[in-house]
Amino acid sequence: MRLWIDADACPVVEIAIRVARKYGTDVMLVCDDAHQLQREGAQTITVARGADSADLALVNLLRRNDGVITQDYGLAALCLARGARPMDQNGRMYTESNIDSLLGMRHVCQKARRAGERTKGPRKRTREQDEQFEQALEQLLAQKAE
């Protein structure tokens, strides 16, 4: 198992690298060339800028049962289709049971924004969210170790 991180604007990169190191799991950061990310303990894959270029590169490189960290529901759906195990930055696992409703919600919000409605951005990240993410990632990587 490798751990892939959709690294553009991911708030939990450092936590993920630290936890992955504990389990001997390789970490792959994927970003486009608008974001220069280099972190000790992780390999960075940089792709040319373009609509979803980093997402498509990540999906094409991952293998069945790899872990993926992403906030992008569309990318999570593609990862599920490839047999990977995606989770969000708060530790919620994307599954066949919840991905359709999440994609539907994303579509409704996009439609509202195109119609001129203003939507709120994400709230400030809390320590509790970081702890919840860390626990969920520990569980995912511990399953690999078994």
Side-chain angles (χ1 to χ4, degrees):
M1 172 194 263
R2 294 173 295 178
L3 182 62
W4 294 88
I5 302 177
D6 179 14
D8 299 341
C10 180
V12 293
V13 170
E14 302 300 331
I15 296 169
I17 291 171
R18 180 173 36 82
V19 173
R21 184 177 298 135
K22 179 177 170 182
Y23 288 90
T25 302
D26 293 332
V27 177
M28 316 298 282
L29 305 176
V30 182
C31 59
D32 67 31
D33 58 14
H35 304 88
Q36 296 300 320
L37 295 172
Q38 298 296 324
R39 297 291 191 283
E40 188 176 325
Q43 179 182 344
T44 301
I45 298 170
T46 306
V47 299
R49 258 177 262 192
D52 300 320
S53 61
D55 296 350
L56 295 174
L58 189 155
V59 167
N60 285 320
L61 292 168
L62 65 81
R63 297 184 296 229
R64 183 171 207 59
N65 291 319
D66 279 351
V68 179
I69 300 169
T70 184
Q71 300 177 52
D72 183 326
Y73 299 155
L75 175 57
L78 293 172
C79 292
L80 284 169
R82 296 283 313 267
R85 303 173 71 191
M87 76 167 45
D88 72 8
Q89 73 282 359
N90 297 323
R92 172 182 55 189
M93 295 300 296
Y94 297 106
T95 65
E96 297 294 336
S97 301
N98 67 13
I99 196 66
D100 286 339
S101 64
L102 293 169
L103 287 168
M105 187 172 55
R106 179 182 78 164
H107 175 71
V108 168
C109 289
Q110 286 175 334
K111 199 169 159 184
R113 283 191 297 275
R114 280 194 300 269
E117 272 186 53
R118 298 185 89 148
T119 57
K120 293 181 181 181
R123 293 183 179 142
K124 183 175 163 97
R125 188 152 184 88
T126 67
R127 185 180 33 175
E128 289 80 17
Q129 288 172 309
D130 286 345
E131 290 169 358
Q132 184 177 348
F133 169 78
E134 185 170 348
Q135 289 173 0
L137 184 58
E138 288 258 3
Q139 288 177 350
L140 178 68
L141 297 180
Q143 291 171 2
K144 172 206 86 146
E146 294 173 354

